[in-house]
Amino acid sequence: MTVLPVGVMPPLPVAGPLAVAGLLLATGTRLPRRMPDVVAILVALAACVLCALMAMGSAHAPLVYWFGGWEPRHGLAIGIGFVVSPAGAWLGAFIALLFAATLLFAWGYFDAVHAHFHVLMLLFMAGMIGFCLTHDLFNLFVWFELMSVSAFALTGYALRTDALEGALNFTVVNTIGSYLILGGIGLIYLEVGALDFSALGRGVAAHPGDPAVAAAFALLASGLLTKGAQVPFHFWLSDAHAVAPSPVSVIFSGAMVSIGLYGVAVLDWTVFAGSAVVQHLVHTLLLGMGAASAAVGGVMALMQRHVKRLLAFSTISHAGILLVGLALSDGNGLSGMLVYLLGHGLVKGALFMVAGIMLASLGGIDELGLRGQGRRIWPAGLVMGFGGLLLAGMPVGLMDTGLERIELAMRDQHQIVVRVAVLTGMVCTGAAVLRVAGRVFVGWGPVSGEEECSPTDEEREKADRPLWLMMLPTVVLVALSLCGSHDADRIAWRAAALLMHPDGEAILGLATARPAVVAPWAAVPGSWLPWVATGLAVALSGLELFWHRLPRSLARGYDRASGPALGALGALHSGLVGDYVAWIAVGLALFVLA
Amino acid sequence: MPVGQALDHATSLLPWCVSAWLLGVGLYAILTSRHFVHLIGCLSVVQSSTYVLLLAAGYRKGAQAPIFYSHPPGIAVDPVLQALVLTDVVIGATVTALLLALVLQLHKRRGTLDPERLRPMRR
């Protein structure tokens, strides 16, 4: 069936985009106008196909590729390897697909430039796929940096004032996160003397109670959680996602944030599985951070009127749910996290595309200012309303399947507070998106008199792109998030089992591969949570839109109850980079205390 | 010789203390910075803490440089960590260059580089 042997594939989805990016940069000025668009989309699709083939090829045993043929000698990893597991490869395929859709959405978005946008996007994609496939801690850091630096450049790409300010905050905060990761790498290398994941895993298991190992995990996790936007490391996200060009925001929210969390999952299970201290940290502190992010992100989303910033906070909330799935540390939680990651990426990507359509067709992104103006682009409104219901947990599609798994794990472990936090996040983010859809595309809600004071300057994105061209990728993403949830659940169950029990001995050549231990798959019994969440979200969005029609005493009570606490929470998100760095220090202190 | 041993012990701890101090002082300076160019300098200070940490982790007392072209093979300091530091330097240079470019563009548009007066969202 396949033209290429699976054994030589692992470097291709990374090396291909890097090579094409270089070629585009060299020849960009001489190419016909639409050529870079076509080339970039084709490369993304090719990477997607390659990753999917590798994912199917690695279903029973991981594909191992040592660069330059430097295979391990006597169990000592001397080279750098890619180890392709189904989880990493499917994630790579998803990333490449999201890039292809985004590049199609961005068709003709930037035309004054020599394909620089496409070069940066391809570098960004290569960094993310490399991050998913690598099996070496320092190599992981290099891919992480490649992805970060392209992300920084893409955020400020439009060179508008607020985009530059957001990009600065983003760069400073994330760079500090990178240095924390590097410090963690130094510490663990000092302790174990290896950088290969399997070798590290063996070394960590040999020093189970070592405080330096726990410190290394704290530093690595802080850096990755900064990328994964978890409370209290999340502050950069709402600035960066709100001001980046819409196609870039699609990738940021759909894939980049969740990739950081996938990194935590890989480190947790392949490197630190043998350390009881770290497992305890994951199960207590990270679980708490995830729950806090889910709740804080949801409430903050409800308070926004800048639609992209609202979606950015909703990403924080859903990333929190992902971290909850990871931190529950069992098969259901992890496999639920993997499916939820795909579903959320597709839905959130589509919602950011709708925000891009609003910026291009309506010339603004302020919810109050655009009241009722979206009627002429009603298809976008339909997608937004539907996306809101999916975020709230409507029981169809991938997001719901993932959530049911996470919910099962939460129920098994009697995590009542965490369940309430997750429910809050789902209800608030769903309600916020439904409220925007109702106000902008239907015209519901009162005229508040604040329409003119929009939180940002005049924003507009390039307008002369046809609506159908922008709607096509949006609809495709939503449709993908609805299909195949049953198969995805089975595949993720197996992928999670392989991720949780990596065969390190075989990768290092110390033993022959043992058959994978996969617990038999069983369908999740449906729960009441999705129905309750969807119902509450619809009710809450109705309350937000029509509270002025309530009896006056009730309306005043609603105002008074929600005012002060929300004001304080809003004031914390000050937009000042110094404050954000202070919160990083607080997060580090939390790791020390726990 | 207890005095010599104590001294050895103290000097072997010194790089870790320097690294922690650089990290702390750099973060504090970023917190209180009132100018973005100054802030980028502080970010480099934070980064130097990782240089010191990595070099200290790879250091072996009395060992030679890991270059065997003109020397006889012998005990050398760990070359892996030196390679990491080199990569780190490259990354640091990239990020600093990018940040300075962003700051330059911002100064052209806003005429100020005080973080207090530059906020992406005025709310």
Side-chain angles (χ1 to χ4, degrees), chain B residues 85-121:
Chain B
V85 174
L86 268 181
T87 318
D88 191 11
V89 170
V90 173
I91 290 170
T94 317
V95 172
T96 309
L98 186 69
L99 273 171
L100 287 174
L102 288 174
V103 161
L104 208 60
Q105 292 292 336
L106 199 55
H107 189 254
K108 270 190 202 160
R109 283 165 178 74
R110 291 290 298 272
T112 173
L113 285 177
D114 182 355
E116 292 278 348
R117 285 199 260 159
L118 296 170
R119 301 188 187 195
M121 296 275 152

Side-chain angles (χ1 to χ4, degrees), chain A residues 55-79:
Chain A
M56 288 187 262
S58 64
H60 294 285
L63 303 176
V64 184
Y65 181 91
W66 296 99
F67 283 90
W70 289 95
E71 296 190 356
R73 313 271 156 89
H74 314 296
L76 199 66
I78 45 180

Side-chain angles (χ1 to χ4, degrees), chain A residues 445-594:
Chain A
V447 178
S448 64
E450 292 178 10
E451 275 73 8
E452 298 308 317
C453 27
S454 123
T456 44
D457 294 336
E458 197 58 20
E459 281 188 80
R460 191 179 187 99
E461 294 189 345
K462 194 162 174 301
D464 58 348
R465 292 176 297 156
L467 183 62
W468 68 266
L469 181 67
M470 296 188 282
M471 280 307 291
L472 178 69
T474 316
V475 173
V476 168
L477 288 190
V478 174
L480 279 176
S481 82
L482 293 179
C483 57
S485 53
H486 191 73
D487 295 329
D489 190 36
R490 271 174 180 282
I491 293 173
W493 180 257
R494 196 178 168 81
L498 291 176
L499 192 62
M500 287 164 71
H501 306 287
D503 194 357
E505 313 264 306
I507 291 169
L508 290 175
L510 287 172
T512 48
R514 55 178 161 74
V517 200
V518 183
W521 177 85
V524 191
S527 72
W528 46 265
L529 186 78
W531 296 105
V532 174
T534 318
L536 282 176
V538 172
L540 185 58
S541 64
L543 183 67
E544 287 270 312
L545 285 171
F546 298 114
W547 61 271
H548 60 290
R549 298 210 188 141
L550 288 175
R552 185 172 292 173
S553 57
L554 267 179
R556 202 180 299 144
Y558 179 62
D559 231 23
R560 202 174 289 163
S562 57
L566 297 187
L569 198 56
L572 283 184
H573 295 75
S574 58
L576 263 181
V577 71
D579 293 0
Y580 297 179
V581 175
W583 282 106
I584 292 189
V586 170
L588 278 176
L590 279 178
F591 271 102
V592 175
L593 290 177

